[in-house]
Amino acid sequence: MTATHPGLPETGRAAADLLADLAALTATDLPTRGERVSAYVYDTGRPAVRQAAHEAYLAMLEVNGLDPTAFPSVVALERQVIGATATRLGGSDATPGIFTSGGTESIMLAVKAARDARPDIAEPEIVIPITAHAAFHKAGNYLRVRVIAVPVDPTTFKADPEAMAAACTDATVLVVASAPSYAHGVIDPVERIAADAAARGIPCHVDACVGGYLLPWLAEAGADVPPFDLSVAGVTSLTADLHKYGYAPKGASVVLFRDEAMRRSAYFVCASWPGYPVVNSTVQSSKGAGPLAGAWATMQALGAEGYRELGRSTLSATRRLIAGVEAIDGLIVLGKPETALIALGADPASPLDPWALADESRSRGFFLQPQLSAAGLPASLHLTLTGASEQGIDEIVAVLRASADAVRPLGPGTPPADLIALIQELDFSTLDDAGFAALLPMAGIELGGESSGRMAGVNRLLDALPVEGRELLVNRFLSALYSPYLGH
Ligand SMILES: *Cc1c(COP(=O)(O)O)cnc(C)c1O
């Protein structure tokens, strides 16, 4: 079913008509409210806060952040947002920072700053734990910086400071720690990693994209939170996403720098073309001020007391979920989550198929995010709990129990050997998007219709393939998805 009209209409259409199209299109999306999707979306459960953000976003929709001298409102709001963030994360209202479109862009700028601060290094490297977010690999790819990914402790899933120090060379421009890691929700030993880096004169970045607006409040609520922010000696930059536990509309993140020279290395300038002199703090040049205003309004509407309460209920939701999962036969929580991000794994003693479990759970109304096994760490299903999760915990636990009961008799699940053999024989260089799309139903993959949301076959296949095979397939899939050849 296609709700929208193809192409540009000859005559303009009325807004009500357009909104009806959007409503029809989003009807098949995962729901963004109601705590049935515990990843991607962050909900305060407070309609007044959401409304403040929406209205502020629209009020600044047409302001262009390209030129902060033309639109000084952008500077004023950004300074407030950065200052309010930095003062909670070991800095002050004088801490230099940049407001960006998201965690990936913040990380990209932190890596660029570190790279450009060392023009003497011809082939720069960054050292990260293998559990660091993929955004560091993306930064390495975009910025031509080599990424050295170091194994972590296989039981705690935390970075190994000795191994990280040993991986540093004269070409290392940045060492990274996560607070916490996205996949397992554990906090790397930031103090050790930063001290070792500082001893060699290497900057250290803390990726608190998901933790930056959560950990301070969890600590106040009584959780055991080790030092992780700019108050730690040797930490030179930090990223924190407002569009995660800042509860802001998407397109909002912050990168903080210990010193102002580092922020200047993140900037891009160009005065060698015949147009206006370009001086950009971010990857984007022209950019709407809506996300900035939405983030600012969310912070102002919640206030410290709002975040504190959300932190308290997030912590209690997490504890209840972990206790609930521990009582389900066959399911375990990987590591000891220190935040509200939880990786559910199969109990090696009585293994069940996580991918089948995810499908069962989704058929019962709860989306769990699949996380493939990698670098010797097991596959898992991800849950991010928020300040609005608490009232739904009993229901999630009941769904997990029923789903585990349903898949337990099927056993651990076996890799699809035939399909893997078929893929290994295919010549992808001669296969176009149409050809690839035609293969998907044969592999049991159908978008829309009855089997929609049944992803176990795909996940089982991806999990069984080596990294290069996975990356090739998902690249081809994305291109086919946006092509006209896949049923929409
Ligand atoms: C979400 C996240 C990122 C990337 O953020 P985006 O906003 O999706 O670009 C990076 N690091 C961690 C730890 C994250 O949780």
Side-chain angles (χ1 to χ4, degrees), residues 1 14 47 94 113 146 166 236 240 250 277 304 310 324 340 361 427 437 462 485:
M1 178 202 65
R146 196 164 158 229
T236 54
K250 289 284 183 273
L310 290 166
S361 172
D427 180 1
L462 290 176
Y485 313 113

Side-chain angles (χ1 to χ4, degrees), residues 344-346 352-359 379-381 412:
L344 303 178
L352 43 73
D353 180 356
W355 316 125
L357 182 83
D359 282 0
S380 58
L381 301 169

Side-chain angles (χ1 to χ4, degrees), residues 42 101-105 107 132-136 178-182 207-211 239 241 243-244 252-253 341:
Y42 294 76
S101 65
T104 300
E105 188 177 18
I107 286 168
H133 196 279
F136 290 96
S178 308
S181 63
Y182 180 81
D207 180 10
C209 275
V210 77
T239 43
D241 293 351
H243 64 203
K244 288 179 183 156
S253 171
L341 292 88

Side-chain angles (χ1 to χ4, degrees), residues 201-393:
I202 303 171
C204 173
H205 178 81
V206 172
D207 180 10
C209 275
V210 77
Y213 292 90
L214 178 64
L215 291 172
W217 312 111
L218 290 185
E220 283 197 25
D224 192 12
V225 176
F228 71 94
D229 60 18
L230 287 172
S231 64
V232 176
V235 172
T236 54
S237 58
L238 180 147
T239 43
D241 293 351
L242 274 153
H243 64 203
K244 288 179 183 156
Y245 287 100
Y247 296 101
K250 289 284 183 273
S253 171
V254 158
V255 52
L256 302 175
F257 298 100
R258 180 176 297 281
D259 82 68
E260 53 175 51
M262 201 70 142
R263 175 168 68 176
R264 290 194 292 268
S265 308
Y267 289 168
F268 172 80
V269 296
C270 177
S272 63
W273 74 308
Y276 54 87
V278 169
V279 49
N280 292 154
S281 60
T282 58
V283 176
Q284 288 177 299
S285 201
S286 284
K287 57 184 175 188
L292 173 61
W296 171 82
T298 305
M299 294 174 90
Q300 298 292 318
L302 274 170
E305 192 45 54
Y307 282 110
R308 196 171 288 130
E309 273 172 32
L310 290 166
R312 267 198 296 268
S313 75
T314 304
L315 183 63
S316 115
T318 307
R319 288 177 173 162
R320 282 174 51 199
L321 183 90
I322 291 173
V325 168
E326 279 169 352
I328 299 174
D329 180 27
L331 262 193
I332 57 169
V333 171
L334 297 185
K336 284 203 167 54
E338 293 167 287
T339 53
L341 292 88
I342 296 160
L344 303 178
D347 185 350
S350 56
L352 43 73
D353 180 356
W355 316 125
L357 182 83
D359 282 0
E360 284 297 328
S361 172
R362 184 153 178 192
S363 74
R364 290 168 168 82
F366 277 98
F367 175 79
L368 298 167
Q369 193 180 41
Q371 302 190 132
L372 303 181
S373 59
L377 304 182
S380 58
L381 301 169
H382 180 96
L383 281 152
T384 296
L385 300 178
T386 70
S389 298
E390 206 177 2
Q391 67 269 28
I393 291 298

Side-chain angles (χ1 to χ4, degrees), residues 64-75 279:
N64 190 347
L66 169 66
D67 185 346
T69 62
F71 301 101
S73 61
V74 168
V75 180
V279 49

Side-chain angles (χ1 to χ4, degrees), residues 131-182:
T131 46
H133 196 279
F136 290 96
H137 295 275
K138 188 171 181 178
N141 178 292
Y142 279 38
L143 296 165
R144 287 190 185 274
V145 169
R146 196 164 158 229
V147 179
I148 313 291
V150 178
V152 299
D153 182 307
T155 45
T156 63
F157 300 94
K158 294 189 187 205
D160 172 351
E162 273 167 34
M164 301 227 4
C168 289
T169 70
D170 291 343
T172 308
V173 296
L174 189 67
V175 171
V176 171
S178 308
S181 63
Y182 180 81

